[in-house]
Amino acid sequence: PRDGLERELERLDGAPYGRYRGLAGAWRLGAGRTLRLVRAQADPFAPPGRVALRIDGREAGFDPELWATPVRRRALAGYLVRCAAREARGERAYHLDAGGQEVLDRSSCTVGADGSVTLRLGVSLPGPRRRIDGREAWRLLGPGLTRLADRALRAGALEAARVREFVETVEDAAALRAALPGLGLVGFVADGALLPRRSGADDRPARGAGVVPFRSPEELRVTVTLPNAGEVTGMGVPEGVTLIVGGGFHGKSTLLRALEAGVWDHVPGDGRERVAARADTVKLRAEDGRRVERVDLHAFVDHLPGGADTTDFSTDNASGSTSQAASLCEAVEAGARVLLIDEDTAATNLMIRDARMQALVAKEREPLTPLVDSVRSLHRDHGVSTVLVMGGSGDYLDVADRVIMMDAYRPADATARAREVAAVPTGRRAEAESFPGVVHRRPDPASLDATARGRTRIRSRGTDYLVFGEHEVDLRAVEQLTDGPQVTGVGLAVELLVRRGHLDGRRTLAEALDLLEADLAGPEGVAALLSVHDEDFAVPRRYEVAAAVNRLRALRVLR
Ligand code: ADP
Ligand code: MG
């Protein structure tokens, strides 16, 4: 690192704006602090420049207990970046990504294995009349950033009890999730959890006297032992086929959404701190209009009127049922072992076909085989569990291992009663014996091109769209994405799949994702994605990366 950033900025005062670029590189700010100007902004109206401020472990001074493991480092970084964002609020030139209710590995703050802390943020470099304002630039990059970081670190030190709570909460959630397979569970909802959110656009917990804390039914009550909280009771959602039933507005979708979000760790006070789903849980939904590239769908779709081969099916405009069938097969291909489906967003004709419709429309005239006929085999033969919200049709009572009834936001075990009801035959005939499994595909890496006008272009538009080279990938139906920066992380990960040669035209998508997952595990994941581009991002899961690949309209699968 060089010394004398202040002097250098003084010297450049009044120089053309473009000369900020000459400052790129590392600068010593004294006392164990290094500022790196990663990228200067091209002109005053371009996206902000990127800087990284690193504070030595000794200078940061946290109790080594707080950064002893990768999970604790992620949590400590999550705490610090929230403090820093609070401190940065009054300063419009700083752009710091603090994240939402989830605690993810993020580029905006990382804690090293040596206890060092690095903050990465955007800084709008001042440029009145397209000239360098040396004094203001120094204020922002020197004393301003130093104060910001010092205050964040001091908050971390002063609020020792809160830092510890934050770190221990995240550690417990991660431990809970990791314990699920050993307990034969796909999900867990702790007693006392608060599931409803403030609104569809506000992920913070709902407030007020009307919020009913979660309380597990005795039959499904499980006790788990967490590293910090000790023994915790709650509802275990077992492997197999689980049905969530109950009247409208009784809290079915809210429970399922909590499980969806249970693949992430949450901040203290979120209400879902001890709600966990297995890491290989994927939410599915219908998504008409999406593209499908060479997926074997014949388990769900066969004998199309046009005669298309559904063992190798492509379309630029999938129907609701076809899109959901494709998403299911793709999720299993990517490695999902738990599927979540809500009737509110599912394609009815893919879910059910009742006795009367079977009587009216001959099987030869119906290309669709409903999921109700393969959901058991998915678990029995392929180890894929399903949790399904279904208040509108009883056909799933025949195939469910467990039935959870929501009644005024309180779950009850309705399995025995459901068996009695299902004992009365409906005359419905099963339309499939088993789920045949998925066909693994080999994507063509050349079709995953992130360049636009000669440069790598990867950006997010909220959680809805990923801009990838010349393409815009519609991710609105990929519901477990947490925020815009995570969508950017997905784009960078797709690029990494190609750059590192994981997708080489020979490997299957699942094999390439195995390699990517190893790259992205732990805090090194941030470094791996930074090697593609320095940006605000959160490290994604393999399932969302696969979802983006599958929705890229340029994707080609090799024969
Ligand atoms: P369903 O899917 O059964 O129709 P929802 O899950 O959509 O019901 O819930 C209906 C409404 O009840 C939503 O506005 C939701 O926020 C609210 N709600 C859900 N769970 C609770 C709870 N435990 N306490 C208070 N309100 C809740
Ligand atoms: Mg619902």
Side-chain angles (χ1 to χ4, degrees):
R2 289 183 279 169
D3 287 306
L5 179 61
E6 183 175 14
R7 222 175 324 116
E8 199 55 29
L9 279 167
E10 231 165 71
R11 203 174 63 78
L12 286 176
D13 189 54
Y17 193 89
R19 292 186 57 195
Y20 272 126
R21 285 218 188 108
L23 300 174
W27 299 86
R28 231 186 312 273
L29 287 187
R33 290 164 171 74
T34 313
L35 177 80
R36 178 180 290 277
L37 182 60
V38 180
R39 194 166 69 236
Q41 136 193 23
D43 67 75
F45 308 101
R50 292 289 298 175
V51 306
L53 178 67
R54 182 179 185 281
I55 299 122
D56 279 359
R58 190 184 316 180
E59 194 62 31
F62 286 105
D63 179 352
E65 285 269 293
L66 291 173
W67 40 273
T69 64
V71 171
R72 288 185 158 225
R73 292 200 279 281
R74 164 164 57 90
L76 179 57
Y79 187 84
L80 291 175
V81 77
R82 282 168 178 80
C83 294
R86 211 163 53 215
E87 298 298 334
R89 220 178 275 153
E91 185 57 79
R92 296 217 349 241
Y94 296 146
H95 308 269
L96 187 62
D97 166 34
Q101 297 298 101
E102 306 82 9
V103 184
L104 311 174
D105 278 309
R106 283 181 187 278
S107 58
S108 56
C109 185
T110 48
V111 173
D114 55 0
S116 65
V117 176
T118 305
L119 282 173
R120 294 181 193 81
L121 63 156
V123 177
S124 303
L125 296 172
R129 297 175 304 280
R130 293 180 188 271
R131 299 272 158 189
I132 288 179
D133 181 346
R135 192 186 282 257
E136 173 65 1
W138 166 247
R139 186 186 71 78
L140 287 172
L141 295 175
L145 265 188
T146 305
R147 183 156 13 93
L148 176 77
D150 285 355
R151 287 202 175 156
L153 295 179
R154 194 135 30 88
L158 289 179
E159 305 163 357
R162 290 183 54 194
V163 187
R164 191 160 293 280
E165 183 198 11
F166 199 97
V167 168
E168 291 182 349
T169 298
V170 169
E171 186 172 58
D172 276 352
L176 173 60
R177 187 174 307 105
L180 294 175
L183 297 167
L185 300 177
V186 298
F188 178 88
V189 184
D191 290 328
L194 303 175
L195 308 188
R197 300 292 100 189
R198 221 163 277 187
S199 80
D202 186 343
D203 200 33
R204 291 174 298 169
R207 289 177 299 194
V211 175
V212 178
F214 191 83
R215 207 180 130 71
S216 57
E218 229 167 275
E219 299 87 336
L220 294 170
R221 191 166 298 155
V222 176
T223 303
V224 292
T225 306
L226 302 180
N228 304 300
E231 288 196 352
V232 171
T233 62
M235 181 175 83
V237 181
E239 292 174 356
V241 180
T242 302
L243 211 58
I244 301 172
V245 302
F249 297 101
H250 281 261
K252 303 184 297 297
S253 296
T254 302
L255 172 60
L256 195 78
R257 271 199 293 272
L259 289 172
E260 261 168 76
V263 300
W264 312 116
D265 303 329
H266 291 97
V267 300
D270 174 82
R272 300 167 298 182
E273 297 93 317
R274 290 171 196 159
V275 179
R278 272 171 51 165
D280 50 7
T281 299
V282 173
K283 167 75 183 295
L284 300 175
R285 58 169 294 165
E287 184 188 357
D288 56 317
R290 65 159 283 192
R291 181 164 181 269
V292 175
E293 167 71 357
R294 306 199 59 188
V295 177
D296 177 0
L297 291 183
H298 84 276
F300 299 110
V301 189
D302 214 351
H303 328 294
L304 284 175
D309 178 8
T310 57
T311 62
D312 184 359
F313 184 78
S314 304
T315 176
D316 284 323
N317 188 7
S319 69
S321 52
T322 317
S323 64
Q324 193 181 328
S327 300
L328 189 154
C329 293
E330 289 165 347
V332 174
E333 178 193 22
R337 291 298 172 263
V338 185
L339 306 176
L340 307 180
I341 302 173
D342 191 329
E343 61 181 350
D344 291 351
T345 50
T348 305
N349 51 351
L350 186 74
M351 302 302 289
I352 50 176
R353 198 163 106 84
D354 68 11
R356 284 187 154 168
M357 211 41 93
Q358 284 183 331
L360 184 66
V361 181
K363 177 64 196 153
E364 302 79 62
R365 303 243 140 262
E366 171 55 272
L368 297 176
T369 305
L371 179 66
V372 69
D373 291 321
S374 48
V375 73
R376 287 225 56 78
S377 166
L378 262 169
H379 181 245
R380 185 186 63 225
D381 306 322
H382 306 278
V384 179
S385 295
T386 307
V387 182
L388 209 83
V389 168
M390 182 59 85
S393 163
D395 282 352
Y396 277 88
L397 297 181
D398 290 319
V399 296
D401 294 305
R402 280 280 173 187
V403 180
I404 297 168
M405 164 111 68
M406 293 304 287
D407 182 9
Y409 316 133
R410 287 262 152 78
D413 181 8
T415 310
R417 180 76 190 109
R419 294 258 150 80
E420 286 170 27
V421 172
V424 181
T426 63
R428 186 180 187 281
R429 293 178 312 275
E431 300 184 6
E433 313 237 286
S434 63
F435 180 71
V438 297
V439 171
H440 283 275
R441 298 168 300 160
R442 291 176 302 122
D444 181 354
S447 67
L448 305 175
D449 186 358
T451 48
R453 276 181 264 118
R455 283 194 304 170
T456 301
R457 179 155 158 254
I458 294 170
R459 274 208 300 269
S460 57
R461 300 232 164 96
T463 50
D464 287 352
Y465 295 95
L466 168 69
V467 178
F468 191 81
E470 305 278 3
H471 307 282
E472 192 163 90
V473 188
D474 186 343
L475 297 175
R476 284 175 300 175
V478 184
E479 295 183 315
Q480 286 166 297
L481 283 165
T482 56
D483 48 36
Q486 195 182 48
V487 171
T488 303
V490 165
L492 297 173
V494 174
E495 174 70 3
L496 202 66
L497 273 176
V498 179
R499 278 204 199 168
R500 295 216 163 154
H502 298 337
L503 266 184
D504 59 357
R506 285 185 300 274
R507 285 196 194 96
T508 65
L509 180 57
E511 288 165 345
L513 289 169
D514 288 343
L515 298 174
L516 176 76
E517 201 167 45
D519 289 344
L520 296 187
E524 288 73 39
V526 171
L529 295 177
L530 276 174
S531 75
V532 178
H533 196 59
D534 190 302
E535 220 18 280
D536 283 330
F537 62 78
V539 176
R541 300 190 305 164
R542 63 187 289 153
Y543 307 103
E544 280 73 32
V545 175
V549 167
N550 284 314
R551 282 163 182 75
L552 195 74
R553 289 192 178 263
L555 173 69
R556 275 192 314 272
V557 164
L558 297 164
R559 291 203 184 262

